mmCIF file with all atom_site columns, all heavy atoms in Angstrom:
data_model
loop_
_atom_site.group_PDB
_atom_site.id
_atom_site.type_symbol
_atom_site.label_atom_id
_atom_site.label_alt_id
_atom_site.label_comp_id
_atom_site.label_asym_id
_atom_site.label_entity_id
_atom_site.label_seq_id
_atom_site.pdbx_PDB_ins_code
_atom_site.Cartn_x
_atom_site.Cartn_y
_atom_site.Cartn_z
_atom_site.occupancy
_atom_site.B_iso_or_equiv
_atom_site.pdbx_formal_charge
_atom_site.auth_seq_id
_atom_site.auth_comp_id
_atom_site.auth_asym_id
_atom_site.auth_atom_id
_atom_site.pdbx_PDB_model_num
ATOM 1   N N   . PHE A 1 31  ? 135.621 103.157 96.116  1.00 98.00 ? 31  PHE A N   1
ATOM 2   C CA  . PHE A 1 31  ? 135.328 101.736 96.256  1.00 98.00 ? 31  PHE A CA  1
ATOM 3   C C   . PHE A 1 31  ? 134.919 101.206 94.885  1.00 98.00 ? 31  PHE A C   1
ATOM 4   O O   . PHE A 1 31  ? 134.236 101.904 94.127  1.00 98.00 ? 31  PHE A O   1
ATOM 5   C CB  . PHE A 1 31  ? 134.164 101.494 97.222  1.00 98.00 ? 31  PHE A CB  1
ATOM 6   C CG  . PHE A 1 31  ? 134.441 101.827 98.651  1.00 98.00 ? 31  PHE A CG  1
ATOM 7   C CD1 . PHE A 1 31  ? 133.943 102.999 99.205  1.00 98.00 ? 31  PHE A CD1 1
ATOM 8   C CD2 . PHE A 1 31  ? 135.186 100.974 99.442  1.00 98.00 ? 31  PHE A CD2 1
ATOM 9   C CE1 . PHE A 1 31  ? 134.176 103.316 100.533 1.00 98.00 ? 31  PHE A CE1 1
ATOM 10  C CE2 . PHE A 1 31  ? 135.433 101.270 100.777 1.00 98.00 ? 31  PHE A CE2 1
ATOM 11  C CZ  . PHE A 1 31  ? 134.930 102.450 101.323 1.00 98.00 ? 31  PHE A CZ  1
ATOM 12  N N   . THR A 1 178 ? 132.213 104.073 93.606  1.00 97.00 ? 178 THR A N   1
ATOM 13  C CA  . THR A 1 178 ? 131.528 104.986 94.512  1.00 97.00 ? 178 THR A CA  1
ATOM 14  C C   . THR A 1 178 ? 132.461 105.481 95.617  1.00 97.00 ? 178 THR A C   1
ATOM 15  O O   . THR A 1 178 ? 133.422 104.788 95.986  1.00 97.00 ? 178 THR A O   1
ATOM 16  C CB  . THR A 1 178 ? 130.300 104.299 95.139  1.00 97.00 ? 178 THR A CB  1
ATOM 17  O OG1 . THR A 1 178 ? 129.663 105.187 96.037  1.00 97.00 ? 178 THR A OG1 1
ATOM 18  C CG2 . THR A 1 178 ? 130.690 103.021 95.891  1.00 97.00 ? 178 THR A CG2 1
ATOM 19  N N   . ARG A 1 179 ? 132.189 106.661 96.143  1.00 97.00 ? 179 ARG A N   1
ATOM 20  C CA  . ARG A 1 179 ? 132.987 107.204 97.248  1.00 97.00 ? 179 ARG A CA  1
ATOM 21  C C   . ARG A 1 179 ? 132.560 106.612 98.588  1.00 97.00 ? 179 ARG A C   1
ATOM 22  O O   . ARG A 1 179 ? 133.361 106.532 99.516  1.00 97.00 ? 179 ARG A O   1
ATOM 23  C CB  . ARG A 1 179 ? 132.836 108.728 97.298  1.00 97.00 ? 179 ARG A CB  1
ATOM 24  C CG  . ARG A 1 179 ? 133.526 109.470 96.157  1.00 97.00 ? 179 ARG A CG  1
ATOM 25  C CD  . ARG A 1 179 ? 133.120 110.941 96.153  1.00 97.00 ? 179 ARG A CD  1
ATOM 26  N NE  . ARG A 1 179 ? 133.441 111.581 97.415  1.00 97.00 ? 179 ARG A NE  1
ATOM 27  C CZ  . ARG A 1 179 ? 132.860 112.704 97.856  1.00 97.00 ? 179 ARG A CZ  1
ATOM 28  N NH1 . ARG A 1 179 ? 131.908 113.277 97.139  1.00 97.00 ? 179 ARG A NH1 1
ATOM 29  N NH2 . ARG A 1 179 ? 133.216 113.235 99.003  1.00 97.00 ? 179 ARG A NH2 1
ATOM 30  N N   . TYR A 1 180 ? 131.278 106.235 98.687  1.00 98.00 ? 180 TYR A N   1
ATOM 31  C CA  . TYR A 1 180 ? 130.747 105.745 99.957  1.00 98.00 ? 180 TYR A CA  1
ATOM 32  C C   . TYR A 1 180 ? 129.972 104.444 99.739  1.00 98.00 ? 180 TYR A C   1
ATOM 33  O O   . TYR A 1 180 ? 129.353 104.247 98.692  1.00 98.00 ? 180 TYR A O   1
ATOM 34  C CB  . TYR A 1 180 ? 129.796 106.778 100.586 1.00 98.00 ? 180 TYR A CB  1
ATOM 35  C CG  . TYR A 1 180 ? 130.430 108.122 100.826 1.00 98.00 ? 180 TYR A CG  1
ATOM 36  C CD1 . TYR A 1 180 ? 130.333 109.132 99.867  1.00 98.00 ? 180 TYR A CD1 1
ATOM 37  C CD2 . TYR A 1 180 ? 131.127 108.382 102.002 1.00 98.00 ? 180 TYR A CD2 1
ATOM 38  C CE1 . TYR A 1 180 ? 130.916 110.369 100.077 1.00 98.00 ? 180 TYR A CE1 1
ATOM 39  C CE2 . TYR A 1 180 ? 131.714 109.612 102.227 1.00 98.00 ? 180 TYR A CE2 1
ATOM 40  C CZ  . TYR A 1 180 ? 131.610 110.609 101.261 1.00 98.00 ? 180 TYR A CZ  1
ATOM 41  O OH  . TYR A 1 180 ? 132.199 111.825 101.468 1.00 98.00 ? 180 TYR A OH  1
ATOM 42  N N   . VAL A 1 181 ? 130.017 103.573 100.744 1.00 98.00 ? 181 VAL A N   1
ATOM 43  C CA  . VAL A 1 181 ? 129.211 102.352 100.750 1.00 98.00 ? 181 VAL A CA  1
ATOM 44  C C   . VAL A 1 181 ? 128.428 102.314 102.054 1.00 98.00 ? 181 VAL A C   1
ATOM 45  O O   . VAL A 1 181 ? 129.003 102.540 103.128 1.00 98.00 ? 181 VAL A O   1
ATOM 46  C CB  . VAL A 1 181 ? 130.083 101.084 100.622 1.00 98.00 ? 181 VAL A CB  1
ATOM 47  C CG1 . VAL A 1 181 ? 129.240 99.837  100.877 1.00 98.00 ? 181 VAL A CG1 1
ATOM 48  C CG2 . VAL A 1 181 ? 130.732 101.005 99.258  1.00 98.00 ? 181 VAL A CG2 1
ATOM 49  N N   . ILE A 1 182 ? 127.129 102.060 101.961 1.00 98.00 ? 182 ILE A N   1
ATOM 50  C CA  . ILE A 1 182 ? 126.315 101.854 103.158 1.00 98.00 ? 182 ILE A CA  1
ATOM 51  C C   . ILE A 1 182 ? 125.977 100.371 103.228 1.00 98.00 ? 182 ILE A C   1
ATOM 52  O O   . ILE A 1 182 ? 125.295 99.832  102.363 1.00 98.00 ? 182 ILE A O   1
ATOM 53  C CB  . ILE A 1 182 ? 125.028 102.702 103.112 1.00 98.00 ? 182 ILE A CB  1
ATOM 54  C CG1 . ILE A 1 182 ? 125.386 104.188 103.029 1.00 98.00 ? 182 ILE A CG1 1
ATOM 55  C CG2 . ILE A 1 182 ? 124.171 102.434 104.345 1.00 98.00 ? 182 ILE A CG2 1
ATOM 56  C CD1 . ILE A 1 182 ? 124.197 105.090 102.798 1.00 98.00 ? 182 ILE A CD1 1
ATOM 57  N N   . GLY A 1 314 ? 136.391 105.027 107.032 1.00 97.00 ? 314 GLY A N   1
ATOM 58  C CA  . GLY A 1 314 ? 135.351 105.950 107.464 1.00 97.00 ? 314 GLY A CA  1
ATOM 59  C C   . GLY A 1 314 ? 134.277 106.217 106.432 1.00 97.00 ? 314 GLY A C   1
ATOM 60  O O   . GLY A 1 314 ? 133.213 106.759 106.760 1.00 97.00 ? 314 GLY A O   1
ATOM 61  N N   . ASN A 1 315 ? 134.541 105.840 105.181 1.00 98.00 ? 315 ASN A N   1
ATOM 62  C CA  . ASN A 1 315 ? 133.538 106.026 104.124 1.00 98.00 ? 315 ASN A CA  1
ATOM 63  C C   . ASN A 1 315 ? 132.664 104.792 103.913 1.00 98.00 ? 315 ASN A C   1
ATOM 64  O O   . ASN A 1 315 ? 131.852 104.757 102.998 1.00 98.00 ? 315 ASN A O   1
ATOM 65  C CB  . ASN A 1 315 ? 134.223 106.388 102.800 1.00 98.00 ? 315 ASN A CB  1
ATOM 66  C CG  . ASN A 1 315 ? 134.720 107.822 102.786 1.00 98.00 ? 315 ASN A CG  1
ATOM 67  O OD1 . ASN A 1 315 ? 134.695 108.502 103.807 1.00 98.00 ? 315 ASN A OD1 1
ATOM 68  N ND2 . ASN A 1 315 ? 135.183 108.289 101.653 1.00 98.00 ? 315 ASN A ND2 1
ATOM 69  N N   . PHE A 1 316 ? 132.869 103.796 104.745 1.00 98.00 ? 316 PHE A N   1
ATOM 70  C CA  . PHE A 1 316 ? 132.084 102.554 104.693 1.00 98.00 ? 316 PHE A CA  1
ATOM 71  C C   . PHE A 1 316 ? 131.204 102.543 105.941 1.00 98.00 ? 316 PHE A C   1
ATOM 72  O O   . PHE A 1 316 ? 131.703 102.388 107.062 1.00 98.00 ? 316 PHE A O   1
ATOM 73  C CB  . PHE A 1 316 ? 133.037 101.349 104.666 1.00 98.00 ? 316 PHE A CB  1
ATOM 74  C CG  . PHE A 1 316 ? 132.391 100.034 104.332 1.00 98.00 ? 316 PHE A CG  1
ATOM 75  C CD1 . PHE A 1 316 ? 132.450 99.523  103.047 1.00 98.00 ? 316 PHE A CD1 1
ATOM 76  C CD2 . PHE A 1 316 ? 131.729 99.298  105.309 1.00 98.00 ? 316 PHE A CD2 1
ATOM 77  C CE1 . PHE A 1 316 ? 131.879 98.296  102.735 1.00 98.00 ? 316 PHE A CE1 1
ATOM 78  C CE2 . PHE A 1 316 ? 131.151 98.072  105.011 1.00 98.00 ? 316 PHE A CE2 1
ATOM 79  C CZ  . PHE A 1 316 ? 131.228 97.577  103.718 1.00 98.00 ? 316 PHE A CZ  1
ATOM 80  N N   . ILE A 1 317 ? 129.908 102.753 105.763 1.00 98.00 ? 317 ILE A N   1
ATOM 81  C CA  . ILE A 1 317 ? 128.994 102.949 106.894 1.00 98.00 ? 317 ILE A CA  1
ATOM 82  C C   . ILE A 1 317 ? 128.205 101.673 107.170 1.00 98.00 ? 317 ILE A C   1
ATOM 83  O O   . ILE A 1 317 ? 127.519 101.153 106.279 1.00 98.00 ? 317 ILE A O   1
ATOM 84  C CB  . ILE A 1 317 ? 128.012 104.110 106.624 1.00 98.00 ? 317 ILE A CB  1
ATOM 85  C CG1 . ILE A 1 317 ? 128.712 105.311 105.997 1.00 98.00 ? 317 ILE A CG1 1
ATOM 86  C CG2 . ILE A 1 317 ? 127.267 104.483 107.905 1.00 98.00 ? 317 ILE A CG2 1
ATOM 87  C CD1 . ILE A 1 317 ? 129.804 105.902 106.833 1.00 98.00 ? 317 ILE A CD1 1
ATOM 88  N N   . LEU A 1 341 ? 127.447 110.456 107.071 1.00 98.00 ? 341 LEU A N   1
ATOM 89  C CA  . LEU A 1 341 ? 127.977 110.742 105.729 1.00 98.00 ? 341 LEU A CA  1
ATOM 90  C C   . LEU A 1 341 ? 128.459 112.183 105.618 1.00 98.00 ? 341 LEU A C   1
ATOM 91  O O   . LEU A 1 341 ? 129.499 112.462 105.005 1.00 98.00 ? 341 LEU A O   1
ATOM 92  C CB  . LEU A 1 341 ? 126.908 110.461 104.677 1.00 98.00 ? 341 LEU A CB  1
ATOM 93  C CG  . LEU A 1 341 ? 126.583 108.989 104.412 1.00 98.00 ? 341 LEU A CG  1
ATOM 94  C CD1 . LEU A 1 341 ? 125.317 108.856 103.574 1.00 98.00 ? 341 LEU A CD1 1
ATOM 95  C CD2 . LEU A 1 341 ? 127.751 108.295 103.712 1.00 98.00 ? 341 LEU A CD2 1
ATOM 96  N N   . ALA A 1 344 ? 131.699 112.494 107.132 1.00 96.00 ? 344 ALA A N   1
ATOM 97  C CA  . ALA A 1 344 ? 132.727 111.856 106.295 1.00 96.00 ? 344 ALA A CA  1
ATOM 98  C C   . ALA A 1 344 ? 133.072 112.703 105.072 1.00 96.00 ? 344 ALA A C   1
ATOM 99  O O   . ALA A 1 344 ? 133.954 112.331 104.289 1.00 96.00 ? 344 ALA A O   1
ATOM 100 C CB  . ALA A 1 344 ? 132.251 110.478 105.861 1.00 96.00 ? 344 ALA A CB  1
ATOM 101 N N   . GLY A 1 345 ? 132.340 113.825 104.876 1.00 96.00 ? 345 GLY A N   1
ATOM 102 C CA  . GLY A 1 345 ? 132.686 114.725 103.788 1.00 96.00 ? 345 GLY A CA  1
ATOM 103 C C   . GLY A 1 345 ? 131.683 114.815 102.661 1.00 96.00 ? 345 GLY A C   1
ATOM 104 O O   . GLY A 1 345 ? 131.891 115.545 101.682 1.00 96.00 ? 345 GLY A O   1
ATOM 105 N N   . LEU A 1 346 ? 130.572 114.071 102.757 1.00 97.00 ? 346 LEU A N   1
ATOM 106 C CA  . LEU A 1 346 ? 129.575 114.118 101.697 1.00 97.00 ? 346 LEU A CA  1
ATOM 107 C C   . LEU A 1 346 ? 128.758 115.403 101.790 1.00 97.00 ? 346 LEU A C   1
ATOM 108 O O   . LEU A 1 346 ? 128.225 115.728 102.854 1.00 97.00 ? 346 LEU A O   1
ATOM 109 C CB  . LEU A 1 346 ? 128.643 112.908 101.788 1.00 97.00 ? 346 LEU A CB  1
ATOM 110 C CG  . LEU A 1 346 ? 127.513 112.849 100.742 1.00 97.00 ? 346 LEU A CG  1
ATOM 111 C CD1 . LEU A 1 346 ? 128.087 112.685 99.338  1.00 97.00 ? 346 LEU A CD1 1
ATOM 112 C CD2 . LEU A 1 346 ? 126.536 111.728 101.064 1.00 97.00 ? 346 LEU A CD2 1
ATOM 113 N N   . GLU A 1 347 ? 128.670 116.116 100.691 1.00 96.00 ? 347 GLU A N   1
ATOM 114 C CA  . GLU A 1 347 ? 127.817 117.301 100.644 1.00 96.00 ? 347 GLU A CA  1
ATOM 115 C C   . GLU A 1 347 ? 126.384 116.866 100.356 1.00 96.00 ? 347 GLU A C   1
ATOM 116 O O   . GLU A 1 347 ? 126.134 116.081 99.437  1.00 96.00 ? 347 GLU A O   1
ATOM 117 C CB  . GLU A 1 347 ? 128.307 118.260 99.560  1.00 96.00 ? 347 GLU A CB  1
ATOM 118 C CG  . GLU A 1 347 ? 129.682 118.851 99.861  1.00 96.00 ? 347 GLU A CG  1
ATOM 119 C CD  . GLU A 1 347 ? 130.123 119.835 98.794  1.00 96.00 ? 347 GLU A CD  1
ATOM 120 O OE1 . GLU A 1 347 ? 129.337 120.113 97.875  1.00 96.00 ? 347 GLU A OE1 1
ATOM 121 O OE2 . GLU A 1 347 ? 131.270 120.312 98.884  1.00 96.00 ? 347 GLU A OE2 1
#
Side-chain angles (χ1 to χ4, degrees):
F31 292 103
T178 179
R179 289 170 58 201
Y180 302 93
V181 170
I182 300 172
N315 285 8
F316 192 99
I317 317 300
L341 288 168
L346 179 65
E347 294 182 4

